Each structure stands twice: as C-alpha cells, then as structure tokens.
Amino acid sequence: MTIEEILAGECKNVEFKENLPEKSIKYMKSVVAFANGTGGKIIFGIADKTREVIGFDKEDVFKKMDAIANAVSDSCEPAIIPDITLRTVDGKTVIVADISEGRQQLRSWGVLIERDGKDYPSNAFAILTGNGGLHVTTQCGVFKGTTKAVFVDRREYPGPLWEQIDEAFQFALRNIHLGATFVGIYRQDIYEIPPDAIRELIINAMVHRSYLDHGTIQVAVYDNRLEITSPGKLPMGQTMERMKEGYSKIRNEALAHAFAYMNLIEHWGSGIPRIIDKVKAAGLREPEFIGGEVDLRINIYRGQNNDNNIKNGVNVDANSIDGVEIGTNDIKNDVDEVAYTDKVFPDHIQKLLKIIAENPTETQAQYAEKLGISKRTISRIFAELKEQGILEQQGNRRKAKWIIIKEKIGGAAWIPTK
C-alpha cells in the first residue's frame, strides 16, 4: 500500500510524524483541532517533510498504539476516541490515527446548534461542561438521625456533570459503612450499599432530572438510608411501576447521547431494574421510590433485610455481618481530609495502591485512566495519601517514582512483594 492509497478519498487534514513524540502535547493540539473541525488523520512512522517511510518495529508497535490511545483519552474531555490502525506502506508498518469530526456528532445530539454556518452552544452544552451561565450543582449532605434537622456535613459540587457525578459518588462512599473480608490472602471491601447501584442512581438523576426546575440533585446520607432526590416531576406517560420495569422516557436526549458516548450509561431504561437487582442481591430491601409530582426521591435503606437474614441464616448485629467487620469510612465526612478507619481502604484506594506497587513510575493521569476517575479526583486522593504518610514521591517531576510506606497501612496482604 502507498501513502496515496491511504489518503485516497479521505479528509485532506493529514499530519505526518516520523516517530511517536515523547510529549503527547506535540500532536494533541492536532487531535483536538481535527475533532473540533472536519476530522483528520495523524500518520506515525512517516517523515513530515520528505514523506520518507520510516515505520516501526513489530515488537513495540502495539505499545505505541496503546500509548497514543491513552494519551488522547487522558488529555481530552469529553473523551475523543480515535480509530487507530496499522498499515503497511512500502513494506513498513505505520500507525494511522483517524480522528472523526466531533462537531457533527455534537450537532446531531443537540449539544451544538448550527446557525448561518456557525456553531453555537446549546443549554445541553452549558449543562455538560459547567460553562455558559447555567448554575447547575449537586448538593451532598450527611445528617444525624433520620431527618434533616441536624447537619453533620454538607458539600455542593459545581462544574462539568461528569465531575459532579464522581464527586457525589465519592462523597456517598466516604459516608456509608465499609466492611472487610478476606478472599484467600487478599482483603476485599464490602460496602453496605453496592457502589455500582449508588453510581447508577446518581447518573440516572443527572440524565432524567428537569433542568427547567431551579432545584438541585441532592445526595443525602442518614443513619438509616441513602436518599437521592431529583428535581422535576416524571415525564408525561411515565409512572413509578413502568420505570421499575425498565420503561424509559428520555427527558434530556442530548445529555443521554453524551453520557452513552462517555460510557456512563449503557442501555436506556436498563438502569433502574439493574439498581433494584443489585440492592436486593446485597441483602437489602428493595429501593423505595417516592414522589413523582414535584420531584423523584429514591431511598436505599442501610442494614441487611431481616427477612433475608433469617432465610439465609445470617447473624447480624450492629457491628458485624457473619464475621465481616463493619467500620465507618471517614465519619468526619470532610472532603479535604479523609481518614480511612483502621486502614480498611475503600475498593478504589486498594486498586490504586496495587497499581502503584506494580507500576510506580506512571503519572497521576495514567493512574486516573486505569481507575476510570477524573484527574481532579486522583490529585485529591494522592494529596490525602501523601498527607497520611502512605505515599512518598522520589525523584524529580520527570522521573518520579511513588513509594508505598507499608508500615502506614499495617502491612496489608494485597500489596505485592517483589
């Protein structure tokens, strides 16, 4: 295959890179420009000025493909997903990164509106990105007892919706009980409410709430329940029962398209039945759905369902579930200072420390990508772990290495030894 054959019938926006630059910023500007324009290609392995085909060794070409995909994913929000392929030109292997036009997709979703040849941001764009003058936030709070009479902690999160989702999700995890058991020699966290169910409830509220209503999504933790409230009445034709059965009435299609693209939702309508199944599978009572005329409130009750406990022979008291210790995770509920009780780390912290132990020289952006969380969140977690003396950084910024201080975590068995 020749260069001309690669480009035949394709977009005129093409860049050539002789090698994969050490700093991704050298080609990331082109990626963003292509996505915001009419699309384009970046061909790695061909000299820019001479068009000489340099190619890559087959031994490391797949590592370079992964490096390109990771760099684009880490650097762009919302995510840009290039089509990365291998091509053989003059007997040598090159990498072709095809960047699709992003604006056309955003127009089709209704995130951008085209008028007189120009693109203008819609309300959906302003809501998604946190820019544009629309004040959309998520309120989170912890209350003493079962009413809102006494606050223990409260937070309000502005910004892009995907960051609000992550902040609200982490807030909920910090303020519910966390149990620990061991599978073989490995410690395994067990939250009293399945984290996936919490995350899906928050995402569901973001997608389906009424943005004409000036209220906010509220995530409230009480002694006996987690409560998520979404402003706005149910769409016409939707009922509580139909919603539980998986019938979906999309109120904000532009947001739903964007969330599906970011893999925050899967199949429209499958979220609520999946949440119910996960909660019941955890031995909890079925979630409670309240309201629908002014707002929608969903409660997940904390503590095992007594009927299930009797049926399954599980002995439950205030502090244990069949031999599984229950501790509270950050009962102070302070977002800026997290103390993990008795060194029983949340699942995402365990995963992070294990990844660091195996790959101590990676960047925070790479760790964030592997955990599927935002760079802002990973920066906060690193700051907390450093403050607690669990993590230390050696070397300079370019060649940094993260060291886990095992004495600070009680020699947890899941930290690999080498």
Side-chain angles (χ1 to χ4, degrees), residues 171-224:
F171 182 93
L173 290 189
R174 284 194 297 272
N175 292 292
I176 62 174
H177 290 128
L178 175 66
T181 187
F182 285 86
V183 179
I185 63 171
Y186 294 97
R187 184 195 301 265
Q188 181 177 324
D189 288 344
I190 302 176
Y191 285 95
E192 61 175 324
I193 300 173
D196 287 348
I198 298 172
R199 186 175 180 84
E200 288 214 38
L201 271 181
I202 295 170
I203 292 170
N204 187 76
M206 294 283 184
V207 174
H208 293 288
R209 66 155 287 182
S210 170
Y211 286 93
L212 296 175
D213 192 302
H214 295 298
T216 61
I217 289 172
Q218 295 182 336
V219 178
V221 181
Y222 299 90
D223 287 353
N224 68 334

Side-chain angles (χ1 to χ4, degrees), residues 16 23 25 42 52 64 73 83 107 118 135 152-153 155 180 207 227 246 271 282 286 292 300 307 309 312 342 391 414:
F16 296 94
K23 294 184 177 179
I25 190 65
I42 302 176
E52 178 187 357
K64 292 186 181 294
S73 174
D83 183 16
R107 291 187 204 113
K118 294 183 179 180
H135 185 66
V152 175
D153 184 33
R155 301 282 162 175
V207 174
E227 179 181 276
E286 183 173 316
I300 300 181
D307 293 339
N309 296 337
N312 296 320
D342 297 327
L391 272 185
W414 40 263

Side-chain angles (χ1 to χ4, degrees), residues 59 65 135-136 185 191 195 209 258 264 277 359 372:
E59 288 74 21
M65 290 177 71
H135 185 66
V136 177
I185 63 171
Y191 285 95
R209 66 155 287 182
L264 292 175
D277 289 344
N359 306 280

Side-chain angles (χ1 to χ4, degrees), residues 347-390:
D347 186 55
H348 65 287
I349 300 293
Q350 285 196 36
K351 288 179 182 177
L352 172 61
L353 291 174
K354 186 175 181 182
I355 292 169
I356 292 173
E358 294 170 348
N359 306 280
T361 59
E362 293 194 350
T363 64
Q364 289 188 20
Q366 289 171 317
Y367 294 132
E369 193 272 333
K370 288 183 177 180
L371 285 174
I373 60 179
S374 70
K375 286 179 277 188
R376 181 169 148 191
T377 299
I378 201 77
S379 295
R380 190 187 70 239
I381 292 172
F382 266 76
E384 292 161 356
L385 292 176
K386 286 167 69 178
E387 186 177 338
Q388 293 176 42
I390 294 170

